[in-house]
Amino acid sequence: MKINIREDVLKDHNMVAKLNRETFKESKTLVINLMSSPGSGKTTLLEETINSLKNEYTIAVIEGDLATDLDAQRLSLLGINTVQINTVGGCHLDARMIAKILPEFELNRIDILFIENIGNLVCPSGYDLGQDFKVVVLSVPEGNDKIPKYPVMFRRTDLTIINKIDLLPYVTFSLEQAKKDLAAINPEAQLIGLSAQTGEGIEDWINWLKDAYLQCTKH
């Protein structure tokens, strides 16, 4: 006997994500799900982003890690509300985790909420957290093969950031090839090259965020 199971196994999870999205929309909070592999420079990018925007916007961060609160400590030093989630081995954040800690934020007073997801180019791509935009950070030392090798992640991103472009003279990475690979997988996605360490290109990212915030608050 053959049994066909058609119900989405993530149905309950997606219902929570929908509720999260409604909560964010009601408070007019822009929510960015920031994903990458380990070591891409997400936290450094967040530090530079917060320093660039904190005089104009109220910013908060949900920091996801398997263990420790080292990154959350770094961000807290900038004077923003940062809440740590440790998955204790789990390879991604999910909507229930986000919903559980939302009471720790005064969302009506937060303009931009960053969710720094677990460092992983596979698992986080499949889970809706209720965010407005998915942003993937790829660093040039990781190589040009990552976009074609992990198509699901890059197919679902709104923006891909190529970080550490200050290292381009020292590694075999091509920005043009990255643009071609991304366009082949996700023609609608944007790509920005920058260096969170030196600040080169950071203004393009900041302008993207400001435009995203305007989109968010119009609704």
Side-chain angles (χ1 to χ4, degrees):
M1 182 175 64
K2 182 179 180 180
I3 299 175
N4 292 318
I5 301 176
R6 298 180 181 274
E7 187 172 359
D8 185 354
V9 295
L10 292 177
K11 181 178 178 180
D12 290 343
H13 172 274
N14 290 335
M15 288 178 62
V16 178
K18 181 180 178 181
L19 291 173
N20 288 348
R21 183 169 286 108
E22 290 171 355
T23 299
F24 298 142
K25 184 177 180 180
E26 183 178 349
S27 65
K28 295 187 181 297
T29 302
L30 170 66
V31 182
I32 304 294
N33 182 2
L34 195 62
M35 301 174 289
S36 79
S37 57
S40 67
K42 290 195 305 298
T43 307
T44 301
L45 177 61
L46 278 178
E47 288 175 324
E48 294 306 306
T49 303
I50 291 163
N51 283 327
S52 296
L53 291 174
K54 64 182 181 181
N55 292 330
E56 298 180 61
Y57 302 89
T58 302
I59 299 172
V61 176
I62 295 173
E63 182 62 48
D65 280 302
L66 275 72
T68 81
D69 63 348
L70 296 175
D71 291 343
Q73 289 181 41
R74 286 171 59 182
L75 298 175
S76 294
L77 291 175
L78 301 178
I80 63 164
N81 188 7
T82 304
V83 177
Q84 179 73 50
I85 296 177
N86 287 134
T87 61
V88 195
C91 61
H92 60 86
L93 299 179
D94 65 38
R96 294 183 183 87
M97 296 176 187
I98 303 302
K100 186 175 181 179
I101 65 166
L102 286 185
E104 299 189 39
F105 296 97
E106 293 184 70
L107 287 176
N108 289 327
R109 297 186 179 184
I110 295 173
D111 298 314
I112 305 174
L113 174 63
F114 291 101
I115 302 173
E116 185 175 353
N117 218 314
I118 307 297
N120 188 318
L121 284 179
V122 181
C123 303
S125 64
Y127 289 83
D128 181 8
L129 306 181
Q131 73 284 315
D132 293 293
F133 296 99
K134 289 184 175 182
V135 176
V136 180
V137 181
L138 176 69
S139 62
V140 300
E142 296 174 69
N144 274 108
D145 61 338
K146 295 303 178 291
I147 294 176
K149 283 178 70 174
Y150 298 94
V152 176
M153 172 62 79
F154 292 95
R155 190 178 297 128
R156 294 175 176 175
T157 183
D158 298 290
L159 172 68
T160 293
I161 292 174
I162 306 296
N163 190 23
K164 305 185 183 180
I165 61 171
D166 53 305
L167 299 180
L168 282 172
Y170 312 105
V171 297
T172 55
F173 186 94
S174 167
L175 277 176
E176 288 305 312
Q177 186 61 50
K179 291 176 183 177
K180 291 178 183 177
D181 290 338
L182 182 62
I185 293 171
N186 185 353
E188 302 300 318
Q190 299 181 56
L191 184 145
I192 292 174
L194 58 79
S195 169
Q197 191 69 39
T198 69
E200 181 183 358
I202 196 80
E203 194 62 29
D204 292 334
W205 162 236
I206 296 302
N207 288 335
W208 185 91
L209 281 170
K210 289 181 177 181
D211 289 342
Y213 179 74
L214 287 175
Q215 291 181 45
C216 173
T217 55
K218 281 181 180 177
H219 303 298

